[in-house]
Amino acid sequence: YNSIKEYYQMRRPETADSNILDLYIWLNCYPTWYFTNDKGLMWVAKSEDGQYYSSIPCCKDEDLKECFLETQKYFNEVLQKKLVMYVVDKAAVDLLQLPEDEYVVVPDRTYADYVYDAEKLRTFSGKKYHKKKNHLNAFKREYEGRYEFKFLSKKDEPEILAFLEFIDSEAVGIKYILEHEEVFDYKIGAVYVDNKLEAFTIGNYESREDMVYIPVEKANPEIRGLYPYICSQFLIEAFPEAGKENREDDMGLEGLRKSKLSYNPIYMVEKYTIIQK
């Protein structure tokens, strides 16, 4: 973890993919390998249908082209495949300046991250947040004296996994970071209603971009206002000074897109796919 973390600090492009916590939470989704040289760390992953792909190397800006070509060389010579690279940030695309006759570079809205003004999410102040504020106040009224916000840790693992209901890839990743909490720098917030765990979120903070990253947020959808409550309360309790929050992408899911847009992002972090011709 510590050696990989060093590489992750070389470039900070504000993407969820540059958040090392994400790497470990989603590690079980697809087989992923990495290799290094003296400049950076390069990725190789395999999708469920057997296709190989990569993501942007972890290295300094000035070494990005060299590490990109190193990744391509591995794909071409070892795997005997054309390079396919997903979730590439726009700054990397601009730095690489890839020739159009050799590569296809296309934006992918599916994986664009949503970035928010953290103070707006703490307060839900202003016209744009009128509905969210109403839902939040409805939750506080209806469950007055019956709800509590708490921080959770490794000792709460059985309760957290029971709340997640089934061990899917995400739950396996959450179990991993819980069991190694002394290594990772994150906070877990939870909301109990009538002493029962009903909402759960994980976040970590990167000071260089003054950004909180939220890889996981789950709540009982039957409880009105619970999602806005854990969203705001977690920021208030865990990261009171943070300026921005990255709530990741919507995976192209219509319902999730509608939900993320309803929190009024201040900008999107664009991502691209690079395909070698």
Side-chain angles (χ1 to χ4, degrees):
Y1 168 83
N2 285 328
S3 60
I4 292 179
K5 188 179 179 183
E6 284 179 30
Y7 289 108
Y8 265 74
Q9 294 305 317
M10 289 178 172
R11 275 188 81 237
R12 300 296 318 153
E14 291 196 344
T15 63
D17 317 280
S18 70
N19 182 16
I20 195 166
L21 200 60
D22 256 45
L23 171 68
Y24 285 90
I25 287 176
W26 300 106
L27 198 59
N28 293 281
C29 281
Y30 307 110
T32 304
W33 304 268
Y34 69 86
F35 61 97
T36 63
N37 59 17
D38 59 350
K39 299 288 177 64
L41 179 149
M42 282 67 67
W43 299 105
V44 183
K46 196 176 185 181
S47 62
E48 288 174 335
D49 61 0
Q51 300 300 309
Y52 287 96
Y53 66 94
S54 186
S55 52
I56 200 71
C58 297
C59 61
K60 293 176 181 174
D61 280 355
E62 59 265 31
D63 299 319
L64 190 62
K65 190 66 176 274
E66 185 179 331
C67 290
F68 174 85
L69 293 172
E70 188 81 15
T71 308
Q72 179 174 298
K73 185 180 177 186
Y74 184 87
F75 269 69
N76 295 170
E77 296 181 6
V78 179
L79 300 175
Q80 297 190 323
K81 305 278 185 187
K82 297 279 191 180
L83 175 65
V84 177
M85 190 173 278
Y86 292 124
V87 295
V88 181
D89 59 282
K90 188 174 188 306
V93 170
D94 292 343
L95 281 164
L96 289 169
Q97 291 289 305
L98 298 171
E100 288 182 19
D101 59 334
E102 293 179 38
Y103 302 91
V104 177
V105 181
V106 288
D108 191 343
R109 173 66 176 80
T110 300
Y111 297 109
D113 289 342
Y114 293 76
V115 176
Y116 304 84
D117 178 333
E119 189 56 27
K120 287 289 186 186
L121 297 188
R122 288 186 197 98
T123 62
F124 292 130
S125 61
K127 271 187 199 173
K128 285 183 177 179
Y129 289 98
H130 185 65
K131 278 188 181 177
K132 289 278 183 267
K133 191 87 167 183
N134 281 348
H135 288 313
L136 180 65
N137 289 338
F139 169 76
K140 289 180 175 180
R141 274 196 312 272
E142 187 173 345
Y143 297 95
E144 189 177 357
R146 296 165 54 195
Y147 67 89
E148 183 185 5
F149 178 91
K150 291 182 184 177
F151 287 113
L152 302 185
S153 64
K154 187 178 185 175
K155 64 178 171 43
D156 304 296
E157 183 187 316
E159 194 173 9
I160 292 166
L161 295 179
F163 175 68
L164 292 170
E165 290 182 342
F166 55 91
I167 302 293
D168 60 3
S169 296
E170 186 181 30
V172 171
I174 290 168
K175 189 173 191 290
Y176 182 88
I177 67 162
L178 282 168
E179 289 173 352
H180 299 85
E181 70 174 8
E182 68 285 347
V183 175
F184 293 96
D185 181 19
Y186 64 83
K187 292 181 180 179
I188 296 178
V191 180
Y192 287 76
V193 178
D194 296 332
N195 298 311
K196 184 185 176 191
L197 179 59
E198 296 284 12
F200 163 84
T201 189
I202 299 176
N204 63 316
Y205 177 73
E206 282 288 347
S207 58
R208 272 164 68 182
E209 56 262 38
D210 190 21
M211 184 91 77
V212 175
Y213 288 86
I214 306 288
V216 177
E217 183 185 82
K218 296 185 181 294
N220 182 343
E222 301 300 313
I223 299 177
R224 182 189 173 192
L226 185 53
Y227 266 110
Y229 177 73
I230 194 166
C231 169
S232 68
Q233 200 61 29
F234 185 52
L235 276 171
I236 290 165
E237 302 269 3
F239 307 103
E241 304 301 325
K244 293 179 289 185
E245 181 173 274
N246 183 318
R247 295 177 67 81
E248 306 210 340
D249 59 64
D250 59 34
M251 299 183 291
L253 302 173
E254 193 178 333
L256 198 52
R257 180 165 297 185
K258 190 177 176 185
S259 171
K260 287 182 186 281
L261 287 170
S262 75
Y263 282 86
N264 302 299
I266 49 175
Y267 61 88
M268 307 289 294
V269 182
E270 295 175 50
K271 311 238 187 102
Y272 292 78
T273 298
I274 295 172
I275 302 164
Q276 183 185 9
K277 287 185 178 178

